[in-house]
Amino acid sequence: MGVTLPAFQTLVDAHWRDVARLAHALAGPVDGDDVAQQAWAQALAAYPGLRSSRNLRGWLLTITHRCAMDAHRSRGRRAVPSDVADDLADRGSPEVPGPEASLPDTDLWKRVADLPARQREAVVLKYVADLDHTAIAQALETTPTMSRRLVSDGLAALRKELL
């Protein structure tokens, strides 16, 4: 039984904004474009073998999420070049680490960055990528119930700190 898929360009035209927005939200402004490009390259490679066309947006956002996590992992292993040894001593961590560093409400995003990884990813997918719990569950490889729990726990932790 063959699956009828739309042309890949149709998929790109329909979802490029979603992929770019999620890539920037998860990987930050420096790596966001690279993550989005990597996600599209992986999607193009896997597209002919796709067995279902029911939720192509969710499939693309799952690929984007995984590419962003790969970018985070590779960033942690990258060496930071420096010409002056004093730079190393004076360099402190940024006020808000991670992809939230460029977002306007630094206090809130700093607290979001401090959430446990699964809660942070669920909150970002819910409120930055505007995904429903089914799509979040697919991206995080969990159930929609667990997605609701992760978002709820993340919001409860944020409320507790902010109030």
Side-chain angles (χ1 to χ4, degrees):
M1 183 164 106
V3 176
T4 304
L5 296 172
F8 191 75
Q9 185 61 48
T10 305
L11 190 68
V12 172
D13 291 342
H15 302 294
W16 72 268
R17 284 188 181 93
D18 297 332
V19 169
R21 192 168 70 177
L22 181 61
H24 280 263
L26 291 175
V30 174
D31 292 331
D33 290 339
D34 292 339
V35 166
Q37 185 175 8
Q38 182 66 28
W40 285 114
Q42 288 185 9
L44 179 60
Y47 196 63
L50 204 58
R51 287 183 270 161
S52 172
S53 62
R54 280 191 11 206
N55 187 5
L56 293 175
R57 181 176 182 262
W59 175 71
L60 284 171
L61 295 180
T62 299
I63 292 171
T64 306
H65 172 261
R66 290 180 182 160
C67 288
M69 294 305 107
D70 289 346
H72 282 293
R73 289 185 197 111
S74 70
R75 187 182 311 133
R77 294 187 296 260
R78 262 186 249 155
V80 178
S82 177
D83 293 335
V84 181
D86 292 340
D87 286 349
L88 296 173
D90 293 336
R91 188 181 62 199
S93 61
E95 186 174 321
V96 179
E100 297 86 6
S102 66
L103 298 175
D105 192 346
T106 57
D107 186 43
L108 174 64
W109 286 107
K110 182 178 179 185
R111 293 173 196 272
V112 170
D114 291 340
L115 288 173
R118 298 276 290 174
Q119 289 179 9
R120 181 182 61 243
E121 291 168 9
V123 167
V124 168
L125 289 170
K126 177 70 178 168
Y127 294 104
V128 176
D130 197 25
L131 296 181
D132 61 13
H133 288 290
T134 303
I136 294 170
Q138 186 178 11
L140 297 178
E141 297 180 347
T142 187
T143 64
T145 303
M146 189 61 187
S147 166
R148 284 185 189 86
R149 180 89 250 164
L150 289 168
V151 171
S152 175
D153 288 350
L155 292 177
L158 291 172
R159 280 190 203 105
K160 187 176 178 181
E161 290 184 22
L162 293 173
L163 298 179

